[in-house]
Amino acid sequence: MLLHSVNLCNLAFYVFMVFIATLGLWDVFFGFEENKCSMSYMFEYPEYQKIELPKKLAKRYPAYELYLYGEGSYAEEHKILPLTGIPVLFLPGNAGSYKQVRSIGSIALRKAEDIDFKYHFDFFSVNFNEELVALYGGSLQKQTKFVHECIKTILKLYKGQEYAPKSVAIIGHSMGGLVARALLTLTNFKHDLINLLITQATPHIAPVMPLDRFITDFYMTVNNYWILNARQINLTTLSVAGGFRDYQVRSGLTFLPKLSHHTSALSVVSSAVPKTWVSTDHLSIVWCKQLQLTTVRAFFDLIDADTKQITQNSKKKLAVLTHHFIRHPSKHFEENPAIISDLTGTSMWVPVKVSKWTYVAYNESEKIYFTFPLENHRKIYTHVYCQSTIRQGVDLSWKAELLPTIKSLTLRLQDYPSLSHLVVYVPSVHGSKFVVDCEFFKKEARSLQLPVTHLFSFGLSSRKVVINTSGLYYNIELLNFGQIYQAFKINVVSKCSAVKEEITSIYKLHIPWSYEDSLTIAQVPSSTEISVKLHIAQPENDSHVALLKMYTSSDCKYEVSCMFVVRFHGGALPAYVVSSILLAYGGQLYSLFSTGCCLEYATMLDKEAKPYKVDPFVIIIKFLLGYKWFKELWDVLLLPELDAIVLTSQSMCFPLVSLILFLFGTCTAYWSGLLSSACVRLLSSLWLALKRPSELPKDIKMISPDLPFLTIVLIIVSWTTCGALAILLSYLYYVFKIVHLQASLTTFKNNQPVNPKHSRRSEKKSNHHKDSSVHHLRLSANDAEDSLRMHSTVINLLTWIVLLSMPSLIYWLKNLRYYFKLNPDPCKPLAFILIPTMAILGNTYTVSIKSSKLLKTASQFPLPLAVGVIAFGSAHLYRVPCFVFIPLLLHALCNFM
């Protein structure tokens, strides 16, 4: 029925939108590099020793526990407390297990064994019962308070020791990192109880899916506290994001803002971390061997030799984290590195006067110093670049950069006007072969510009640059690339002449305004495809340009091309879907008021779901909020912040985004209507197969005898257990009523005589009886069909309400053995209104409300509410049901007015 009510052009449009959405979803779930993380393994059997908590604490938090991780002899020794190491507390995230601590705990234990336990770390882990805190925020505050008690319990385990710790380091995965930050908001919490915080894939800026107000309130409390107290917070914090493999938490949400120059905060994507260089998904970030090795190295460099605990020196902590996670010069960390080196000795000195030089060393028996005079080179060139394939021993300089296959150094000559020579030191390395390359160049000759293709090229056009010169290093400036919605495929084709051995090229995407670089290694000659996307948009006051740094071979020529691809932005899509359904719903109510019959859902969706009915109002409000007088009036009315402003602050609002999302929302609304209608027909067929054929009701009763009792029972269920459970049961009752009506209509049609004249006379007789009897309405086949059209739209709306309330129901079911009543319950107020509304609507027919005085008003409400859904529900999905129940309530009241 739904397919027949829409024209072919619109159907083709809906199919096309599905195709585009499929491309976007493919980009989210498959448009990233393969998992290159190495699995971390335990060398001995892992053991989790449960730490006994005070009885009052255990009774207050029956679902939570604290464990100490250990392996083998270490685990046996530490069963007898107190402890002697450095405490680290691991906090799992949404549905996370306390056993996830084993990867970093095992690696740290192996590292301690290597230094004969001169220092060692004790890794604790909290069992949050794998709670779904990303779906239900009511337990976040409870988790925070429990972690505070755990910290105090942990520190008591070290009492009486010579080097007893006074604070703990915390590693928080996902929402565990947010809980760690929330500790500082507790009134009785001492900030010096935490000396270091490392978060992994934690959405700091905003929740991924704001499904209840408790999550958004918690975020607001934490972030506002950190903003207002930025100067007082001296906690060194590192946030590590997983990159594009993590489709659960967008990496842009993990970046901690630099609130002031006092803030010791770093944010980095795992693909940019030296010696890691891989993107991780949301779970593998806790076991990725490359990343955990880097983290453990940083932990051991943070130890103060005097206290045998993590240093309290904030500058040193930030320097260590920068060394290991931001820019690694391939040297062990030194707090005060020597700037001047002594070059005296019996080594060989070799002068080099050419501008481009290569040295291949194999099994060198003595040290060699190669000297490059700078006086003449300064007149011709601006920069010098050197690279070496040697990965052990002495590095080129503290300014060098470690890359997967080489170490590189680029110096600007004018920064060193007093230096007379550049010296490259080649150590004596027995049994190893390595290559050192150096060249002088002009910056202008090695910088090329590649304007990226625009949004509406739809991947049909591309742009390219060709590198014909034989240099070692190039910068490709990606012009007009700075927004999150932009996504491109860069293809690098290398062609080499007379290649006798394997040559490696490195392509590094460098984003100067955030630490989210990514590297691609290619064996040349080859054709290499690089996915180019951003996690953080370019700040308005930043003039830097994104770069593709190419570490190339002098024997090869390169061609670089760029093409636009589709990128998925669907977090706000449910709000646009509901907005489109509301517009169609309002159109159906108005058609019932004006013509006496309800039109098809698909027809009204095509007619009423237009972006110009919604978007202009949101744009005008956003514009007016820029004026002080309107903002003051807005605040006086106690209206929440406009979601378009929230999305803009997250760099998720770009030109035409609302229009594009509205089109996708309308498409989704169409297909969801088709699906719900098909499900009703399928269930009605199943009902007819299992039960006796039903008849259309002879008398229409708005309130059946069992309706008040059922409503009271469901309200009691909502009050004593979970509001979402009561909403689901009411929804199932409503669906049952509609399925029964569909089955009755099918039976009626099957029993009708074939003669159409007889059928029309019968219908007229039924309608005449209906008109002449005011108090006893009879339901005709046409009325039943009209009612089913209206009910299919209502089912569509109710389905979205149920879906948005499901997270709290899932949380309640998972914790049922601990708590029978969900507290706090985000769905309870909604359930009290929605239960009687659905009960009445389940017994409502169009014939009983078409003469209602309230119907015209009810048909006018969906339009402003559709605007409200977009204005206030696109970034706060839990508000969407509040806009949906209002027209449903008015629809139900039409039975009485």
Side-chain angles (χ1 to χ4, degrees):
M1 183 185 295
L2 204 60
L3 280 172
H4 295 300
S5 60
V6 62
N7 61 52
L8 290 177
C9 292
N10 287 334
L11 184 61
F13 168 74
Y14 292 141
V15 172
F16 173 73
M17 296 302 286
V18 169
F19 172 72
I20 297 296
T22 303
L23 291 179
L25 290 170
W26 178 271
D27 171 68
V28 171
F29 295 107
F30 305 102
F32 43 72
E33 66 182 44
E34 61 180 302
N35 193 347
K36 297 179 181 178
C37 279
S38 300
M39 178 67 76
S40 50
Y41 295 97
M42 287 79 253
F43 288 88
E44 297 178 272
Y45 189 78
E47 293 187 33
Y48 305 89
Q49 180 183 348
K50 186 176 179 180
I51 303 298
E52 188 175 349
L53 300 172
K55 290 183 179 179
K56 288 184 178 179
L57 187 62
K59 188 175 181 181
R60 196 186 317 161
Y61 305 100
Y64 300 161
E65 297 168 323
L66 176 64
Y67 288 88
L68 170 65
Y69 177 80
E71 295 178 16
S73 59
Y74 169 85
E76 290 298 322
E77 291 172 6
H78 288 80
K79 285 181 180 178
I80 304 173
L81 303 174
L83 303 173
T84 58
I86 304 169
V88 179
L89 178 61
F90 176 80
L91 303 180
N94 176 58
S97 169
Y98 66 95
K99 295 181 179 180
Q100 290 173 314
V101 73
R102 63 182 177 269
S103 294
I104 191 168
S106 180
I107 291 172
L109 184 59
R110 301 284 84 77
K111 177 74 172 177
E113 288 178 348
D114 290 343
I115 58 173
D116 295 325
F117 285 94
K118 179 182 180 182
Y119 310 111
H120 74 273
F121 289 87
D122 299 320
F123 278 85
F124 297 85
S125 185
V126 175
N127 178 17
F128 284 134
N129 192 34
E130 300 183 9
E131 289 182 334
L132 302 170
V133 287
L135 304 180
Y136 169 75
S139 63
L140 285 168
Q141 190 66 22
K142 183 170 61 176
Q143 287 190 1
T144 306
K145 292 178 179 179
F146 180 74
V147 171
H148 182 200
E149 298 297 333
C150 286
I151 292 173
K152 292 189 287 187
T153 301
I154 289 169
L155 294 178
K156 288 178 183 178
L157 300 177
Y158 295 86
K159 274 193 174 181
Q161 299 302 306
E162 183 180 359
Y163 299 102
K166 298 179 181 178
S167 58
V168 302
I170 294 182
I171 299 175
H173 173 239
S174 188
M175 295 298 286
L178 188 69
V179 169
R181 287 180 62 216
L183 286 167
L184 276 62
T185 67
L186 299 177
T187 53
N188 57 344
F189 184 80
K190 297 178 182 178
H191 289 196
D192 56 2
L193 288 177
I194 308 176
N195 53 46
L196 176 68
L197 172 60
I198 296 178
T199 66
Q200 299 173 336
T202 296
H204 291 292
I205 295 176
V208 177
M209 294 291 283
L211 295 172
D212 67 53
R213 63 181 178 85
F214 303 121
I215 295 178
T216 54
D217 289 348
F218 189 80
Y219 265 90
M220 189 177 296
T221 301
V222 174
N223 287 332
N224 285 348
Y225 181 88
W226 279 64
I227 291 171
L228 297 174
N229 299 276
R231 292 181 177 272
Q232 287 74 42
I233 296 175
N234 196 29
L235 174 60
T236 303
T237 308
L238 171 69
S239 175
V240 183
F244 291 111
R245 280 195 61 83
D246 188 353
Y247 57 82
Q248 295 184 45
V249 175
R250 180 171 61 86
S251 294
L253 296 176
T254 67
F255 277 66
L256 288 161
K258 284 269 188 179
L259 303 176
S260 74
H261 63 279
H262 295 281
T263 305
S264 300
L266 289 173
S267 300
V268 64
V269 180
S270 61
S271 60
V273 175
K275 296 189 176 184
T276 300
W277 296 307
V278 295
S279 175
T280 65
D281 59 51
H282 197 62
L283 292 179
S284 67
I285 197 169
V286 299
W287 57 254
C288 181
K289 186 177 180 180
Q290 295 95 313
L291 183 59
Q292 300 310 321
L293 282 170
T294 299
T295 306
V296 168
R297 292 188 200 105
F299 268 124
F300 277 88
D301 280 345
L302 286 166
I303 298 174
D304 187 326
D306 296 329
T307 63
K308 294 189 177 181
Q309 296 293 325
I310 289 179
T311 179
Q312 297 298 318
N313 187 331
S314 298
K315 290 184 177 179
K316 180 181 177 181
K317 284 190 280 189
L318 199 61
V320 170
L321 295 178
T322 301
H323 177 91
H324 287 282
F325 288 89
I326 305 299
R327 186 181 178 92
H328 198 297
S330 191
K331 290 181 127 182
H332 293 299
F333 173 78
E334 294 181 26
E335 191 170 357
N336 299 302
I339 299 175
I340 300 175
S341 299
D342 184 8
L343 300 182
T344 60
T346 58
S347 303
M348 182 186 299
W349 289 76
V350 179
V352 180
K353 296 182 179 180
V354 295
S355 61
K356 188 173 182 180
W357 167 84
T358 298
Y359 179 74
V360 180
Y362 179 71
N363 204 20
E364 291 293 330
S365 59
E366 60 181 18
K367 304 172 185 177
I368 306 174
Y369 290 101
F370 293 94
T371 63
F372 296 80
L374 299 179
E375 184 177 356
N376 292 330
H377 288 310
R378 280 197 186 96
K379 298 176 184 178
I380 305 174
Y381 305 107
T382 61
H383 288 68
V384 60
Y385 170 80
C386 289
Q387 67 181 32
S388 170
T389 59
I390 184 171
R391 301 298 305 280
Q392 293 86 26
V394 181
D395 207 329
L396 297 171
S397 164
W398 278 101
K399 293 184 178 291
E401 181 182 13
L402 179 65
L403 295 170
T405 58
I406 61 171
K407 294 175 293 185
S408 70
L409 172 69
T410 305
L411 300 176
R412 192 168 65 165
L413 296 179
Q414 70 181 59
D415 292 341
Y416 305 92
S418 61
L419 295 185
S420 64
H421 288 75
L422 171 70
V423 179
V424 176
Y425 167 54
V426 179
S428 57
V429 181
H430 296 281
S432 298
K433 180 181 179 180
F434 60 90
V435 180
V436 182
D437 295 285
C438 288
E439 66 173 349
F440 291 84
F441 63 88
K442 281 186 177 181
K443 181 182 178 182
E444 296 77 14
R446 299 299 175 85
S447 296
L448 302 173
Q449 293 184 338
L450 178 63
V452 297
T453 51
H454 57 80
L455 176 65
F456 297 103
S457 65
F458 298 109
L460 300 177
S461 63
S462 62
R463 292 170 178 168
K464 66 180 180 180
V465 293
V466 178
I467 301 173
N468 286 320
T469 56
S470 56
L472 298 172
Y473 174 77
Y474 293 91
N475 273 333
I476 308 294
E477 297 180 0
L478 304 177
L479 302 182
N480 307 319
F481 177 54
Q483 300 300 323
I484 290 180
Y485 66 85
Q486 294 176 297
F488 306 95
K489 292 288 186 185
I490 288 182
N491 193 45
V492 182
V493 179
S494 55
K495 297 178 181 179
C496 308
S497 58
V499 178
K500 296 180 180 179
E501 57 183 22
E502 189 177 83
I503 301 176
T504 301
S505 291
I506 299 174
Y507 312 129
K508 178 179 181 180
L509 177 65
H510 174 60
I511 309 301
W513 54 84
S514 67
Y515 299 121
E516 53 176 284
D517 297 359
S518 59
L519 287 87
T520 303
I521 304 172
Q523 303 297 330
V524 295
S526 64
S527 177
T528 305
E529 192 176 79
I530 305 170
S531 179
V532 178
K533 293 177 281 189
L534 289 175
H535 299 293
I536 296 291
Q538 185 174 14
E540 292 182 4
N541 57 351
D542 194 304
S543 60
H544 292 92
V545 180
L547 300 174
L548 179 64
K549 294 185 174 183
M550 300 180 63
Y551 302 87
T552 58
S553 169
S554 58
D555 297 323
C556 303
K557 310 298 181 184
Y558 296 82
E559 182 181 284
V560 183
S561 59
C562 174
M563 183 176 67
F564 170 81
V565 294
V566 176
R567 188 173 182 186
F568 183 76
H569 297 273
L573 187 60
Y576 285 87
V577 177
V578 172
S579 180
S580 295
I581 300 173
L582 280 173
L583 291 173
Y585 181 45
Q588 284 183 312
L589 289 173
Y590 187 77
S591 71
L592 185 63
F593 165 75
S594 58
T595 65
C597 76
C598 179
L599 297 179
E600 285 281 358
Y601 168 72
T603 303
M604 297 314 301
L605 192 68
D606 290 339
K607 182 180 178 182
E608 299 293 335
K610 305 297 183 185
Y612 60 78
K613 292 186 176 183
V614 175
D615 282 348
F617 293 100
V618 178
I619 294 170
I620 291 170
I621 294 171
K622 184 181 178 182
F623 173 76
L624 290 174
L625 282 170
Y627 292 94
K628 185 177 179 182
W629 65 269
F630 191 81
K631 183 67 170 68
E632 290 175 351
L633 176 62
W634 189 271
D635 293 337
V636 168
L637 295 174
L638 301 178
L639 292 172
E641 188 175 18
L642 196 69
D643 278 6
I645 297 176
V646 176
L647 292 172
T648 301
S649 67
Q650 298 177 13
S651 304
M652 292 300 292
C653 199
F654 51 86
L656 301 180
V657 61
S658 189
L659 173 62
I660 295 169
L661 284 173
F662 195 94
L663 294 176
F664 277 107
T666 305
C667 173
T668 307
Y670 169 77
W671 290 112
S672 64
L674 184 66
L675 179 63
S676 63
S677 179
C679 288
V680 168
R681 290 175 176 274
L682 180 64
L683 290 172
S684 67
S685 299
L686 185 62
W687 174 266
L688 289 174
L690 297 176
K691 300 282 289 184
R692 290 179 58 188
S694 306
E695 295 182 355
L696 289 174
K698 296 179 180 178
D699 294 322
I700 297 175
K701 297 179 180 179
M702 290 173 287
I703 301 179
S704 58
D706 60 334
L707 196 59
F709 173 75
L710 179 64
T711 303
I712 293 171
V713 169
L714 289 174
I715 288 175
I716 292 173
V717 169
S718 173
W719 180 263
T720 56
T721 58
C722 173
L725 174 64
I727 291 174
L728 177 62
L729 294 174
S730 301
Y731 172 77
L732 294 175
Y733 167 78
Y734 181 84
V735 171
F736 167 76
K737 297 290 290 185
I738 307 313
V739 168
H740 187 269
L741 178 61
Q742 177 68 60
S744 302
L745 179 62
T746 303
T747 303
F748 177 81
K749 286 184 174 181
N750 292 338
N751 293 336
Q752 283 293 94
V754 181
N755 189 347
K757 293 183 179 180
H758 180 80
S759 178
R760 282 197 294 271
R761 284 197 302 270
S762 165
E763 189 67 38
K764 287 180 181 178
K765 183 178 179 181
S766 175
N767 288 335
H768 175 73
H769 185 275
K770 175 183 67 178
D771 295 336
S772 62
S773 178
V774 178
H775 300 289
H776 300 284
L777 295 173
R778 294 180 65 85
L779 191 67
S780 67
N782 285 342
D783 292 330
E785 288 181 346
D786 263 8
S787 299
L788 282 171
R789 294 189 192 106
M790 184 67 73
H791 284 307
S792 67
T793 307
V794 174
I795 283 180
N796 220 349
L797 284 172
L798 291 175
T799 300
W800 283 98
I801 292 180
V802 171
L803 289 175
L804 292 172
S805 64
M806 276 296 100
S808 61
L809 176 61
I810 295 170
Y811 178 90
W812 175 76
L813 289 172
K814 195 172 185 301
N815 291 273
L816 192 56
R817 59 176 174 165
Y818 300 107
Y819 314 103
F820 186 72
K821 181 179 180 180
L822 183 63
N823 186 32
D825 189 346
C827 295
K828 187 176 292 181
L830 178 66
F832 287 164
I833 301 173
L834 209 55
I835 288 169
T837 301
M838 280 195 280
I840 294 171
L841 286 177
N843 292 273
T844 298
Y845 304 94
T846 53
V847 66
S848 63
I849 66 169
K850 63 174 62 177
S851 59
S852 170
K853 296 178 181 178
L854 191 62
L855 183 58
K856 184 177 180 180
T857 304
S859 68
Q860 293 170 341
F861 260 78
L863 175 58
L865 292 172
V867 176
V869 166
I870 303 302
F872 302 109
S874 51
H876 298 82
L877 293 177
Y878 65 90
R879 294 174 182 165
V880 171
C882 300
F883 291 96
V884 174
F885 86 81
I886 295 174
L888 294 177
L889 179 62
L890 292 173
H891 185 173
L893 291 176
C894 286
N895 288 284
F896 307 101
M897 300 176 67

